[in-house]
Amino acid sequence: MSQNTVAAKRYARALFDVAAQQQKGLEVEAELRAVVSAIEGDADIQKFISTPNIPLSVKMDVLKRALAGKVSQPVLNTIELLLERGRTEMFAELLNSYVKIQGASLGMADATVYSTYPLSDQEKEQVATEFGQLAQQNIRVTNVVDESLLGGLKVVIGDKLYDGSLAGKLERLEKSFNRRA
C-alpha cells in the first residue's frame, strides 16, 4: 500500500468523523465527489494546482472563491489542507477512502458492474439485491460499459470479483477440461 493511500485514509477518516458529527456524511460525500470530479476532469485546474511558481496563497484564494457556497466547510478545509501540504495528487484516493468509510458506516458496499450495455435502473436494482444478499450488505451499483465482454456481467465488490461473463465461464470450462486431461 502506497504512502498516499495510507495518508488518504487518514484524511478521509478525519473528514468522515467531522461529517458524522454534523450528520452530513452523504452530503459531504456528494460534495467531495463533485470537487474531485471537477479537479480530475480538468487539465487546466490540475496544472494550476500543481504549478510551483504560483504562490500557495493565490491557489487557496482561487479555490475558496470557486468553492464558496458550493461545498461545506469540512470539505473546503480538507481541500485546503491537502493543497497546503502538497498532497494534491491524492484527491481521488481521498474520495475512494471516504466512500469506503462512509459505506461501511451505513452497512453499504460499492459494486462496479461491468456489462456490454448500460444497465437499466431495474437491472441495477436486481444486481444490488442479489449481490447484497451474497455480500450481506446494501449495495450501491456503478455500471461500467465494457464492450470487450462477450456477454454476461463482471461484478467487483471491494477486492472480490464475481465473474459471470461469457469469457470467464469459457475460461473456467477450459481449465476443468485441462484438469481431466
Side-chain angles (χ1 to χ4, degrees):
M1 191 176 303
S2 77
Q3 282 184 322
N4 277 348
T5 302
V6 172
K9 285 181 180 181
R10 285 196 310 261
Y11 285 105
R13 171 52 67 187
L15 178 58
F16 174 76
D17 289 345
V18 171
Q21 285 175 355
Q22 297 177 357
Q23 298 180 346
K24 294 186 176 187
L26 291 173
E27 291 172 41
V28 166
E29 180 181 330
E31 292 172 1
L32 194 56
R33 274 187 198 281
V35 170
V36 171
S37 176
I39 292 171
E40 298 286 318
D42 191 326
D44 290 336
I45 294 174
Q46 288 177 7
K47 187 175 181 182
F48 172 76
I49 288 173
S50 64
T51 301
N53 296 346
I54 300 173
L56 180 60
S57 61
V58 172
K59 292 177 187 178
M60 295 277 231
D61 187 49
V62 169
L63 277 176
K64 279 182 185 177
R65 281 190 278 129
L67 299 175
K70 296 177 183 150
V71 299
S72 61
Q73 198 59 46
V75 172
L76 186 59
N77 290 347
T78 303
I79 299 300
E80 286 179 6
L81 190 61
L82 291 175
L83 189 61
E84 200 174 279
R85 296 191 176 168
R87 298 223 176 220
T88 56
E89 75 286 347
M90 63 185 246
F91 286 132
E93 290 180 73
L94 170 71
L95 174 60
N96 290 337
S97 294
Y98 185 91
V99 168
K100 287 178 185 172
I101 293 167
Q102 171 72 16
S105 77
L106 297 173
M108 296 182 81
D110 288 304
T112 305
V113 179
Y114 298 89
S115 60
T116 56
Y117 60 90
L119 298 178
S120 69
D121 288 340
Q122 184 179 357
E123 290 169 321
K124 288 179 187 178
E125 251 180 66
Q126 185 178 357
V127 169
T129 301
E130 289 180 25
F131 282 91
Q133 291 171 351
L134 185 64
Q136 297 178 343
Q137 290 181 305
N138 293 322
I139 301 291
R140 291 189 294 189
V141 172
T142 303
N143 184 215
V144 176
V145 175
D146 183 354
E147 294 175 1
S148 70
L149 291 176
L150 300 174
L153 300 173
K154 284 196 310 190
V155 179
V156 178
I157 303 173
D159 59 355
K160 291 185 180 177
L161 168 67
Y162 301 94
D163 190 352
S165 68
L166 187 55
K169 290 177 182 179
L170 290 172
E171 187 178 314
R172 288 188 293 279
L173 182 63
E174 181 183 13
K175 284 181 183 177
S176 72
F177 285 145
N178 289 340
R179 276 185 259 153
R180 292 181 187 159

